Amino acid sequence: MSLFSRQTTTELPGIIGATRDGSRPDRLAKKLREGDIVVLDAPDIDRATAQALIDAKVAAVLNTSQFTTGAVPNFGPQMLLDAGIVLVEGVSNYVFEKLKDGRQGRLDDTKLFYGDRRIAEGNLVTEAGLATAFDEARTGLADRMEAFSGNLVEFTRHEAPLYIDGLGVPDLPVNLRGEKVLIVTPGHNRKAQLKELRFFIREYEPILVGVDGGADVLSEAGYTPHLIVGDPEGIREDTLRSGAKVILSAEPDGTAVGLERIQDLGIGAMTFPALTSDATDLALLLAEYHRAAMIVLAGDRFDLDDLFEHAEKPDTPSTLLARLKAGNKLVDARMIAELYEVKSSGFGVAWAILGIFVLLAAIILIAGMNGDGSVMENLIDTWNSIALWFQGLFK
């Protein structure tokens, strides 16, 4: 036998492809390529997202959430399976810390590897499991919507005077009529949202309303809220003493949570009696009743999917009616930030720099040729003339 034998390489099992970071779904579609292994966070993935993945012909999709949570009977996961795309769900959120966008990875069953290093693992989605989850979601949605219908009827029966004629809405020392109002609610990304809205705030100087901890977010960003709505217990003392008018959410009998703290601080406040305990809904009603021209909400979204998911919660009727009452005045803060987003390209910057150099060259050429002396002498004379002119401006 030969001392050395030829080694034959064997392919490792699984799917091999470039891994794609889908934590920002709005930026994902442009970079998808055939055979990619996509990692995203998309609970109850919808048809539009599924179709984009199918059109790109990706090989596998790993989801840190569930493809079907049971909240809604969504068709997206079935579309992906029908297209032959491998689905793995329940992957740890920590995968995004280890993921290198574009780096080649290998998906072996339910495990994602970079070389020999495992960076993620989840649960394989099967046809049988998906069918069961879909049927349960459809039944659960019907039950929740039935409960919501009863809650909505009961809530409307008691709160119709508030939503129709504004009965119980307090008068304000701040004039909202014809003004733009920015309502800021608490949330982990509110500081970033306010930064994106800085040009809007600077240009229009909207009335600033802090809801619960959203008042502290405004203060930390360097703004002074005009109004504070909600429970003062979780709001810092310096924010409450900033001069903003404080409005406490109260029970229909006038009992208000946090009233004792307001009294201890010696701060004036008024109450807003209503059945709902959601201060965001009260802030929307305040702005609409006092005839704000535009209501910009920096808060959690509420759309049809959220209604389906949270239909049985007691405050959902209020959340729906408050947004319907605000109507076309209500604008999502993310849309306002999108309008102010400055998009630049490398070519644009390069052309600007080139233009500056061309301008300088033209100035040097004109100044150097305009005179009786040498080019250098003419430039020095021109520079001295400019300097003397500036000195004359400041005398």
Side-chain angles (χ1 to χ4, degrees), residues 89-132:
E89 64 184 8
V91 177
S92 170
N93 278 313
Y94 292 114
V95 65
F96 291 116
E97 298 177 6
K98 305 174 184 177
L99 199 66
K100 305 295 182 183
D101 192 68
R103 180 175 176 179
Q104 182 170 290
R106 178 173 61 89
L107 180 65
D108 184 7
D109 192 19
T110 61
K111 302 178 182 67
L112 180 62
F113 293 88
Y114 280 154
D116 294 330
R117 182 168 65 96
R118 185 176 66 186
I119 66 167
E121 182 177 2
N123 304 308
L124 188 67
V125 177
T126 63
E127 290 275 359
L130 198 59
T132 300

Side-chain angles (χ1 to χ4, degrees), residues 1 13 44 85 144 159 164 169 171 180 184 186 188 197-198 200 245 253 256 294 304 306 311 320 344 350 362 385:
M1 291 181 61
D44 295 315
I85 298 173
R144 290 195 304 277
E159 289 289 71
I164 295 173
V169 177
D171 293 329
K180 294 174 176 59
V184 180
H188 72 279
L197 292 169
R198 64 190 183 280
F200 167 74
K245 191 63 179 178
D253 62 2
M294 176 189 288
L304 189 60
D306 295 292
L320 175 63
S344 61
S385 298

Side-chain angles (χ1 to χ4, degrees), residues 32-105:
L32 288 179
R33 298 292 183 271
E34 183 175 353
D36 283 350
I37 300 172
V38 182
V39 183
L40 44 69
D41 180 11
D44 295 315
I45 191 169
D46 56 32
R47 290 185 62 192
T49 304
Q51 190 60 56
L53 294 166
I54 293 170
D55 292 342
K57 298 180 181 180
V58 303
V61 179
L62 280 68
N63 198 340
T64 58
S65 300
Q66 304 297 313
F67 284 97
T68 295
T69 65
V72 292
N74 55 319
F75 289 94
Q78 188 61 55
M79 293 170 59
L80 294 169
L81 283 185
D82 290 344
I85 298 173
V86 176
L87 304 183
V88 178
E89 64 184 8
V91 177
S92 170
N93 278 313
Y94 292 114
V95 65
F96 291 116
E97 298 177 6
K98 305 174 184 177
L99 199 66
K100 305 295 182 183
D101 192 68
R103 180 175 176 179
Q104 182 170 290

Side-chain angles (χ1 to χ4, degrees), residues 155 159 162-163 169-170 172 181-186 209-215 227-235 245-251 256-257 270-288 295-300 314-316 318-320 322-323 330:
F155 183 84
E159 289 289 71
L162 169 62
Y163 285 86
V169 177
L172 298 175
V181 175
L182 173 59
I183 298 174
V184 180
T185 69
V209 181
V211 173
D212 295 330
L227 300 172
I228 297 175
V229 182
D231 184 359
E233 292 293 345
I235 303 175
K245 191 63 179 178
V246 180
I247 301 167
L248 307 178
S249 56
E251 300 289 337
V257 177
M270 57 180 62
T271 59
F272 190 160
L275 283 178
T276 181
S277 60
D278 192 320
T280 302
D281 300 344
L282 301 183
L284 290 171
L285 291 175
L286 274 170
E288 199 286 327
I295 307 170
V296 180
L297 178 60
D300 295 332
D315 281 335
T316 300
S318 167
T319 301
L320 175 63
R323 282 156 176 76
L330 183 59

Side-chain angles (χ1 to χ4, degrees), residues 20 109 136 194 204 234 262 268 277 279 312 320 336 345 363 366 370 376:
R20 298 297 177 188
D109 192 19
E136 291 176 351
L194 277 180
Y204 291 102
I262 291 296
S277 60
E312 79 285 359
L320 175 63
I336 298 294
S345 66
I363 292 173
I366 294 171
N370 186 22
M376 184 59 67

Side-chain angles (χ1 to χ4, degrees), residues 17-39:
T19 55
R20 298 297 177 188
D21 184 347
S23 57
R24 292 289 301 272
D26 55 327
R27 301 179 180 179
L28 178 61
K30 296 179 181 179
K31 59 184 178 181
L32 288 179
R33 298 292 183 271
E34 183 175 353
D36 283 350
I37 300 172
V38 182
V39 183

